[in-house]
Amino acid sequence: MEEYDNLSAGPAEDGTLDLSHNTRTIFPPELCQFSTTLLHLDFKNNSLTQVPECIACLALLQSLDVSLNQIEYIDKGIGQCIRLRSLNVSRNRLESLPSELSNCILLEKIVADQNRLTALPETLIDLIAISTIDVRYNQLTSIPLGLCRVPTLKTVLCDSNNDLTVAPEHMRDDTDLLFHCLEMQLKFKEVIAAKSNQRDELQIKAEELREELNNATNCISELEKDIAVLVWERPDEYIRRKERFVELVKFASDKIAFYWRLTKDAALKWWNDHKTHPEY
């Protein structure tokens, strides 16, 4: 069927190129030759497995429909399609969307239902023109809480995601109720984040104070050593210790003189007691 599509003819006057309902398995790199004229690309119901890097050359592209394929991967080059307004990747095998979609600042509509998505990129909250996000029938466990504060976003369809925990199942098909749930969780998260930051700051301050205490203790020890040295060098202490030394020397000298006299007297007595010649 490929030989009967419109690739060789190129886009119509309104910039539309219809390559739908074929059996193409590869995103044709020949599309880059239409980078200045291609505005709307319809590639639904083929057998594509990826949207490759060459998508980046289609800078003027405004709408891309690659639904009903077997796509497992979209290259980050899609972020170069800065005029993209509508993206339809419904009924594929995608497990994630590229975070670079946030570069498509004019993007208004994302249809990604019936894939295998487990999460949405947080960068979607940076889309300033987004109005509709359809992610029904996926495997989502969460969606960005900040979506509830995107002013242009009016519709978020996320029901039939069995493991999604951000809202009760009966609230997922009502955007207002969903946004209320997201807002409550976002406020709670902000409070917890603020408390966590305070706790971290207190822990850091405690470590700083502990370090200062250790430094102060070391300084006190050094000062005590210096004081001990200085005590010896004080004049009054020097004089006191000198007087004490003189007293000790005098005491020792008196003791020596005393024992010397005792010894001398004892020696003389012994001598007198043991003389062998008479005294005249």
Side-chain angles (χ1 to χ4, degrees):
M1 296 176 64
E2 294 183 10
E3 60 270 24
Y4 299 112
D5 62 30
N6 297 322
L7 179 59
S8 58
E13 290 184 3
D14 63 353
T16 299
L17 180 59
D18 187 356
L19 301 179
S20 63
H21 303 284
N22 283 284
T23 56
R24 287 186 176 273
T25 58
I26 299 175
F27 200 88
E30 299 95 317
L31 289 174
C32 290
Q33 64 183 306
F34 308 126
S35 60
T36 60
T37 56
L38 182 56
L39 303 180
H40 309 283
L41 179 58
D42 187 349
F43 222 126
K44 64 175 173 286
N45 199 9
N46 277 269
S47 299
L48 297 179
T49 58
Q50 64 174 327
V51 177
E53 185 179 2
C54 65
I55 189 68
C57 69
L58 304 179
L60 300 182
L61 193 64
Q62 296 180 15
S63 66
L64 174 63
D65 186 346
V66 288
S67 60
L68 291 164
N69 277 275
Q70 301 172 27
I71 297 173
E72 299 178 355
Y73 169 74
I74 299 177
D75 188 82
K76 64 181 181 180
I78 198 170
Q80 300 297 318
C81 303
I82 58 175
R83 302 196 180 190
L84 190 65
R85 294 179 179 273
S86 175
L87 175 64
N88 189 341
V89 293
S90 174
R91 300 190 181 185
N92 279 285
R93 300 177 181 177
L94 289 168
E95 296 182 1
S96 64
L97 296 176
S99 60
E100 288 76 12
L101 277 176
S102 61
N103 297 329
C104 305
I105 58 174
L106 300 180
L107 191 58
E108 300 174 357
K109 185 176 183 180
I110 299 174
V111 180
D113 61 296
Q114 299 185 63
N115 276 274
R116 301 172 183 175
L117 298 175
T118 57
L120 297 178
E122 289 289 334
T123 53
L124 292 184
I125 66 175
D126 298 325
L127 293 171
I128 61 174
I130 192 70
S131 63
T132 301
I133 297 177
D134 183 354
V135 286
R136 293 172 296 173
Y137 298 98
N138 276 281
Q139 300 170 19
L140 294 173
T141 58
S142 65
I143 59 176
L145 300 180
L147 289 177
C148 64
R149 295 182 180 177
V150 178
T152 58
L153 187 56
K154 304 302 179 185
T155 303
V156 175
L157 304 175
C158 62
D159 49 304
S160 299
N161 284 276
N162 296 332
D163 296 325
L164 190 60
T165 59
V166 294
E169 187 173 358
H170 66 279
M171 293 184 177
R172 297 174 196 168
D173 57 354
D174 186 314
T175 300
D176 291 336
L177 290 176
L178 175 64
F179 279 6
H180 177 72
C181 291
L182 297 182
E183 180 65 30
M184 294 298 292
Q185 292 179 62
L186 189 56
K187 288 181 178 179
F188 179 76
K189 184 177 180 180
E190 290 171 346
V191 170
I192 294 299
K195 295 296 183 182
S196 297
N197 290 337
Q198 291 176 2
R199 180 199 61 194
D200 294 341
E201 290 173 359
L202 288 174
Q203 288 179 343
I204 293 173
K205 189 64 177 178
E207 290 297 327
E208 292 175 351
L209 290 174
R210 188 176 291 110
E211 183 67 23
E212 291 179 6
L213 179 61
N214 291 336
N215 292 337
T217 302
N218 294 334
C219 288
I220 290 172
S221 299
E222 293 298 324
L223 287 173
E224 288 176 343
K225 293 178 182 178
D226 292 342
I227 289 171
V229 172
L230 290 173
V231 164
W232 281 92
E233 297 177 353
R234 281 170 41 191
D236 56 338
E237 182 68 17
Y238 173 76
I239 293 171
R240 187 181 69 80
R241 291 181 181 275
K242 182 178 179 181
E243 291 175 350
R244 178 62 177 163
F245 177 74
V246 172
E247 290 175 359
L248 290 174
V249 170
K250 184 176 182 304
F251 175 78
S253 177
D254 292 343
K255 284 291 184 181
I256 292 172
F258 173 74
Y259 285 115
W260 169 252
R261 286 194 300 271
L262 288 179
T263 303
K264 181 180 177 182
D265 292 344
L268 288 173
K269 184 177 182 304
W270 181 86
W271 174 261
N272 291 328
D273 291 342
H274 292 80
K275 286 195 301 184
T276 57
H277 54 280
E279 211 176 78
Y280 296 98

